[in-house]
Amino acid sequence: AQSVSQHNHHVILSEAASLELGCNYSYGGTVNLFWYVQYPGQHLQLLLKYFSGDPLVKGIKGFEAEFIKSKFSFNLRKPSVQWSDTAEYFCAVNAYGGSQGNLIFGKGTKLSVKP
Amino acid sequence: GAGVSQSPRYKVAKRGQDVALRCDPISGHVSLFWYQQALGQGPEFLTYFQNEAQLDKSGLPSDRFFAERPEGSVSTLKIQRTQQEDSAVYLCASSLDRGANTGELFFGEGSRLTVL
């Protein structure tokens, strides 16, 4: 069965620190990859997505993610975090050719940024 | 409306009661999804509609769970004879495209169900 692993449950950083959140998935075929973010008290929203092409994807608010097919990874990065980045981050995978509706999420990583 | 709307936002039910959770997707969105999010977990897929057709219900945990979208717009998730393990946040999402693999899902704020 397909699965998504997020390595860190809770990450605490100071403002201006660099961020990297790990995400690995288990599926050997073609995948579409997503990072969603949930700010405190708000709904889940898309941060960035990868379908094909350049494996380095840029999203909103200075976030980027790199797809490394050989490592089955899609790590999220940001060079310098801000207090407003405090949120929970979810990696998600949709296996191409699988159920169109089945977006598989990781358990999430809670990011706390200290001002 | 401006976004996906879910109601009620909070529901407390006694074990054995039936509950109904409503989702108003963004107008014109073809696809509608229901997810269940337990505490400390990521959202887990329950079911998917394309217009009024329920194309995938493989994630529904038991036959106590039932979802419908009769006119291809509003959807209702019904849980019969609720159990404590049903306590979770139920998320609805919609998408302009067909399916989750072609575009962005827009999520509602969820309905938090607590079963006592």
Side-chain angles (χ1 to χ4, degrees):
Chain A
Q2 301 149 24
S3 64
V4 177
S5 298
Q6 291 185 241
H7 312 304
N8 308 100
H9 180 62
H10 191 185
V11 173
I12 303 173
L13 296 173
S14 297
E15 274 193 315
S18 64
L19 169 72
E20 180 159 2
L21 301 182
C23 172
N24 286 88
Y25 64 92
S26 65
Y27 183 71
T30 303
V31 292
N32 296 322
L33 298 157
F34 307 82
W35 276 96
Y36 278 82
V37 61
Q38 187 168 25
Y39 297 103
Q42 296 188 26
H43 57 273
L44 274 166
Q45 54 189 285
L46 184 68
L47 196 57
L48 50 77
K49 60 187 178 184
Y50 173 79
F51 287 167
S52 64
D54 188 344
L56 186 61
V57 180
K58 295 195 183 297
I60 59 172
K61 303 186 180 185
F63 285 91
E64 65 180 31
E66 185 175 12
F67 170 51
I68 303 179
K69 189 174 181 179
S70 61
K71 295 185 177 180
F72 299 91
S73 70
F74 190 55
N75 292 354
L76 181 70
R77 299 195 293 248
K78 185 171 183 178
S80 176
V81 295
Q82 300 172 313
W83 176 78
S84 58
D85 294 325
T86 294
E88 190 154 18
Y89 294 81
F90 294 91
C91 180
V93 171
N94 180 270
Y96 196 80
S99 168
Q100 284 192 315
N102 199 344
L103 199 58
I104 301 169
F105 285 84
K107 291 186 177 183
T109 297
K110 190 171 292 188
L111 172 66
S112 299
V113 181
K114 298 183 291 185
Chain B
V4 178
S5 177
Q6 293 187 245
S7 60
R9 290 290 313 281
Y10 303 92
K11 175 70 178 177
V12 178
K14 291 183 179 178
R15 192 162 56 114
Q17 279 185 329
D18 297 348
V19 299
L21 308 176
R22 176 188 168 104
C23 173
D24 270 283
I26 294 173
S27 178
H29 276 198
V30 169
S31 298
L32 185 144
F33 312 83
W34 283 99
Y35 285 84
Q36 180 191 60
Q37 187 175 18
L39 192 64
Q41 302 294 316
E44 290 196 6
F45 171 79
L46 293 177
T47 186
Y48 156 58
F49 291 86
Q50 192 175 107
N51 297 307
E52 70 279 3
Q54 190 174 21
L55 298 188
D56 188 343
K57 54 181 181 179
S58 63
L60 295 176
S62 77
D63 58 7
R64 296 186 295 104
F65 286 71
F66 172 76
E68 60 182 3
R69 193 186 185 199
E71 296 178 0
S73 178
V74 171
S75 177
T76 304
L77 176 67
K78 297 179 180 177
I79 309 172
Q80 296 177 322
R81 304 181 304 280
T82 52
Q83 304 294 316
Q84 283 189 323
E85 61 263 27
D86 299 335
S87 296
V89 176
Y90 290 85
L91 298 171
C92 177
S94 69
S95 170
L96 188 60
D97 301 297
R98 300 180 188 279
N101 62 358
T102 56
E104 177 177 353
L105 267 60
F106 293 84
F107 282 84
E109 293 185 338
S111 292
R112 182 180 296 276
L113 172 64
T114 302
V115 182
L116 303 177

